[in-house]
Amino acid sequence: MPRATNGPASRRRRNNRLKLAKGFRGARSKLFRQATEAVDRAQAMAYVHRKHKKRNFRRLWIVRVNAACRMNGISYSRFIDGCNKAGITINRKMLSEIAIHDAEGFAKVVETAKAKIA
């Protein structure tokens, strides 16, 4: 009796891994071992970079809010301190959107924050 190797399942597993490596260059998309290593690394980096994306967006929002604050004559850190003391609980993403799209509204928020730190 011939040895059973579970061929269909092995082929399906290999093909699935090669499908994940589609778009990689050279042997990384053609050969199973290189594709496995490349896909493992790609998935690990994707996990890490999903976390980094959140950090990068927060940095972007802070830079935008800081620029808008400076235009209104206050530093970012003093503005955030004033917002905390005034009980303004708008997050940095929304503050940056307000700063971009509604300069007058942001100026009012800044004035409220300034009043609390003075």
Side-chain angles (χ1 to χ4, degrees):
M1 186 170 167
R3 185 171 67 98
T5 59
N6 200 13
S10 299
R11 189 177 338 104
R12 190 176 312 116
R13 191 165 46 246
R14 283 193 297 272
N15 285 339
N16 284 340
R17 184 53 58 114
L18 288 170
K19 280 179 192 168
L20 289 173
K22 189 174 180 179
F24 293 1
R25 290 188 54 152
R28 292 159 58 99
S29 68
K30 304 285 187 251
L31 305 179
F32 179 69
R33 184 177 294 175
Q34 281 90 332
T36 296
E37 291 168 1
V39 166
D40 287 347
R41 179 171 173 80
Q43 288 178 334
M45 292 295 107
Y47 177 83
V48 169
H49 293 157
R50 282 195 298 275
K51 311 303 175 209
H52 285 188
K53 189 162 112 174
K54 294 165 181 58
R55 297 179 206 168
N56 290 337
F57 269 108
R58 184 179 169 96
R59 286 173 59 193
L60 174 66
W61 300 327
I62 288 172
V63 166
R64 287 177 175 172
V65 171
N66 187 24
C69 287
R70 302 260 176 198
M71 290 170 62
N72 285 290
I74 190 172
S75 71
Y76 170 79
S77 62
R78 291 183 48 81
F79 169 69
I80 292 296
D81 180 46
C83 284
N84 289 336
K85 289 178 178 170
I88 299 171
T89 58
I90 306 172
N91 63 22
R92 284 153 181 83
K93 179 180 180 180
M94 290 300 111
L95 284 171
S96 77
E97 289 294 316
I98 293 168
I100 292 168
H101 299 295
D102 183 18
E104 300 86 30
F106 188 78
K108 288 180 184 175
V109 174
V110 169
E111 291 307 316
T112 307
K114 277 184 181 178
K116 287 294 179 178
I117 57 175

